[in-house]
């Protein structure tokens, strides 16, 4: 794939900012190059020095965990930052377009709108799968990005692998972005292992879900090293804070936590589904490969508001196409889920 053809020329040719820590990489010396405060931070931890702009230590660890090479990995301030940068890298307002498949994660559309890019919406089928025919009809020579979320938010189902492969095979004038924010809760293998076969593939993952690090803001994009190079060129110089880098390094030493969380969340998910079915008020539960379930209830709006009044906060998705009368519920601890079920029981009694 000739990447240059699908990257905006001003981005391809950009001379990136060179930060102090890009220019001198050693740890020892008298540091008088970055206009930092030499006295520390006024906290018991010294945050006065700028962090590694390319987060090499974290990347080396993540590369081992994900079985890729570290030059196939970009780190963003949440995957939301990667989504925005990928749009800015490829799409020019008034010229290019991107395809999204609603109902899906809302930031694709918001980021597209912020960048004033034409968005082509191809709704999922009633089975919450890709409408391949309409996707292919919507592609033209100015389509630069196709967003696919699998497992999908807010429906929780996984998207048929063959359909995704079909798009990867056919769409050659831009990139297919597969957002795998919830992949760790699924039995489906990640598309990361397909990077070798598809240069037009970009996979997004995040530490905000199974790793339990939402507050630290660390998203990952996996792609061909040339694409990663461009992302590194256009990101803000120190996009991952020193505090985040330090805490993520610690967390990556405790992968048992991640594994146990996934196991426990999936156990609790099955229990919650069975408890909710027992209530007899559920019209439909979409099989979930994520850490949430989308449920169609009788009187969903009233139930959602009742739950809020009882201090149980869920997400009302009733106004979203294909999600009528549906509430999205994140899987909590057993105790939290029991509180939810008790309140729902009370509402219908
Ligand atoms: C599908 C999907 N992608 C990305 C994100 C954002 O992840 P991050 O916290 O890394 O910005 C979310 C957050 O809920 C999500 O549902």
């Amino acid at each position: 794939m000739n990447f240059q053809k699908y990257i905006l020329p001003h981005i391809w040719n950009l001379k990136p900012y060179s930060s102090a820590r890009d220019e001198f990489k050693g740890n020892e010396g008298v540091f008088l190059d970055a206009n930092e405060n030499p006295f520390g931070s006024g906290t018991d931890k010294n945050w006065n020095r700028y962090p590694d702009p390319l987060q090499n230590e974290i990347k080396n660890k993540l590369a081992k965990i994900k079985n890729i090479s570290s030059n196939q990995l970009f780190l963003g301030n949440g995957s939301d930052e990667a989504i925005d940068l990928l749009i800015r890298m490829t799409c020019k307002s008034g010229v290019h377009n991107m395809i999204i498949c609603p109902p899906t994660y809302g930031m694709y559309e918001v980021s597209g709108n912020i960048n004033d890019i034409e968005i082509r919406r191809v709704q999922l089928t009633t089975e919450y799968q890709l409408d391949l025919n309409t996707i292919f009809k919507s592609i033209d020579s100015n389509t630069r990005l196709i967003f696919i979320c699998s497992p999908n938010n807010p429906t929780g189902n996984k998207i048929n692998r063959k359909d995704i492969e079909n798009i990867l095979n056919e769409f050659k004038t831009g990139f297919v972005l597969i957002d795998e924010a919830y992949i760790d809760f699924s039995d489906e293998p990640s598309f990361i292992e397909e990077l070798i076969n598809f240069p037009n593939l970009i996979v997004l993952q995040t530490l905000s879900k199974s790793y339990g690090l939402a507050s630290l803001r660390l998203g990952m994009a996996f792609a061909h090293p040339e694409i990663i190079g461009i992302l590194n060129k256009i990101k803000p110089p120190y996009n991952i804070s020193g505090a985040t880098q330090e805490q993520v390094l610690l967390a990556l030493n405790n992968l048992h936590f991640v594994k146990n969380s996934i196991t426990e969340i999936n156990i609790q998910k099955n229990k919650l589904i069975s408890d909710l079915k027992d209530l007899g008020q559920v019209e439909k539960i979409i099989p979930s490969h994520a850490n949430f379930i989308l449920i169609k209830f009788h009187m969903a709006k009233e139930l959602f508001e009742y739950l809020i009044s009882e201090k149980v906060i869920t997400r009302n998705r009733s106004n979203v196409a294909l999600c009528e009368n549906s509430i999205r519920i994140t899987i909590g601890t057993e105790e939290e889920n029991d509180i939810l079920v008790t309140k729902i029981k009370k509402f219908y009694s």
Side-chain angles (χ1 to χ4, degrees):
M1 187 168 177
N2 177 1
F3 292 115
Q4 188 173 0
K5 272 171 108 172
Y6 310 111
I7 307 290
L8 296 176
H10 72 282
I11 297 289
W12 185 266
N13 296 320
L14 182 82
K15 186 173 179 305
Y17 177 71
S18 177
S19 70
R21 288 289 70 76
D22 282 318
E23 288 178 14
F24 183 86
K25 294 196 189 298
N27 287 326
E28 278 174 34
V30 177
F31 283 90
L32 304 175
D33 59 348
N35 302 346
E36 298 151 337
N37 183 334
F39 299 111
S41 310
T43 69
D44 50 10
K45 191 113 211 206
N46 282 346
W47 300 112
N48 53 325
R49 300 294 178 189
Y50 283 102
D52 175 3
L54 287 171
Q55 313 97 21
N56 285 311
E57 245 186 298
I58 303 182
K59 280 183 181 158
N60 290 338
K61 276 202 173 178
L62 279 171
K64 280 202 190 106
I65 294 168
K66 301 287 176 184
N67 201 18
I68 44 132
S69 125
S70 61
N71 65 1
Q72 292 174 291
L73 172 60
F74 168 80
L75 297 181
N77 189 337
S79 24
D80 290 338
E81 182 177 44
I83 292 168
D84 177 64
L85 291 175
L86 287 163
I87 295 174
R88 285 201 269 157
M89 179 179 96
T90 53
C91 296
K92 182 177 167 127
S93 173
V95 177
H96 299 112
N97 65 75
M98 53 185 250
I99 294 178
I100 63 169
C101 303
T104 194
Y105 180 50
M107 276 309 288
Y108 313 142
E109 177 148 9
V110 172
S111 266
N113 285 334
I114 290 169
N115 290 289
D116 197 22
I117 303 305
E118 182 197 343
I119 297 167
R120 300 190 174 174
R121 292 169 198 79
V122 181
Q123 194 167 300
L124 295 177
T125 65
T126 48
E127 252 57 75
Y128 313 105
Q129 291 298 327
L130 299 176
D131 175 353
L132 280 189
N133 279 341
T134 314
I135 290 177
F136 285 128
K137 274 191 213 141
S138 305
I139 295 172
D140 65 19
S141 58
N142 286 320
T143 304
R144 284 283 170 87
L145 296 172
I146 301 177
F147 286 83
I148 298 169
C149 188
S150 183
N152 187 41
N153 178 7
T155 53
N157 63 299
K158 62 178 174 182
I159 302 294
N160 293 334
R161 201 171 186 90
K162 284 262 161 305
D163 290 350
I164 301 179
E165 283 168 1
N166 197 337
I167 295 181
L168 281 163
N169 277 315
E170 298 301 320
F171 179 56
K172 302 283 189 199
T173 59
F175 299 94
V176 181
L177 253 88
I178 306 182
D179 187 342
E180 295 186 336
Y182 301 98
I183 193 73
D184 293 343
F185 302 102
S186 172
D187 54 11
E188 188 71 20
S190 166
F191 265 89
I192 290 177
E193 58 192 55
E194 299 292 339
L195 283 170
I196 185 119
N197 300 321
F198 299 106
N200 56 343
L201 168 64
I202 299 171
V203 179
L204 296 176
Q205 290 187 4
T206 176
L207 299 189
S208 297
K209 311 296 175 185
S210 58
Y211 283 73
L213 300 172
S215 178
L216 293 182
R217 313 301 304 127
L218 200 106
M220 301 167 275
F222 303 88
H224 188 284
E226 269 196 79
I227 298 304
I228 298 301
I230 304 273
L231 288 171
N232 284 333
K233 211 164 78 146
I234 65 176
K235 77 181 181 64
Y238 302 106
N239 62 329
I240 308 296
S241 79
T244 295
Q245 295 195 39
E246 187 181 299
Q247 293 302 313
V248 165
L249 277 172
L250 291 177
L252 294 181
N253 287 336
N254 189 3
L255 295 180
H256 280 302
F257 171 82
V258 181
K259 199 163 163 260
N260 293 343
S261 297
I262 295 165
T263 307
E264 186 58 21
I265 286 169
N266 279 333
I267 290 170
Q268 292 309 323
K269 178 165 65 181
N270 292 334
K271 178 173 179 289
L272 180 59
I273 289 172
S274 128
D275 289 352
L276 289 172
K277 280 185 177 160
D278 287 347
L279 293 180
Q281 300 291 342
V282 164
E283 282 182 42
K284 182 174 173 184
I285 302 183
I286 302 174
S288 166
H289 283 254
N291 66 338
F292 58 84
I293 42 182
L294 188 75
I295 309 178
K296 191 168 184 182
F297 284 102
H298 302 297
M299 299 193 297
K301 189 170 167 286
E302 291 80 359
L303 171 61
F304 169 74
E305 275 158 15
Y306 170 77
L307 289 174
I308 291 206
S309 73
E310 293 287 312
K311 296 198 165 50
V312 175
I313 322 303
T314 60
R315 201 92 195 264
N316 183 12
R317 299 284 83 185
S318 298
N319 296 330
V320 175
L322 295 180
C323 304
E324 292 77 16
N325 298 318
S326 297
I327 296 178
R328 195 191 71 190
I329 297 173
T330 305
I331 310 304
T333 62
E334 184 164 18
E335 294 72 31
E336 289 171 331
N337 300 336
D338 285 347
I339 293 171
L340 169 85
V341 173
T342 308
K343 303 282 181 197
I344 296 179
K345 217 183 259 172
K346 210 165 143 205
F347 172 78
Y348 285 115
S349 62

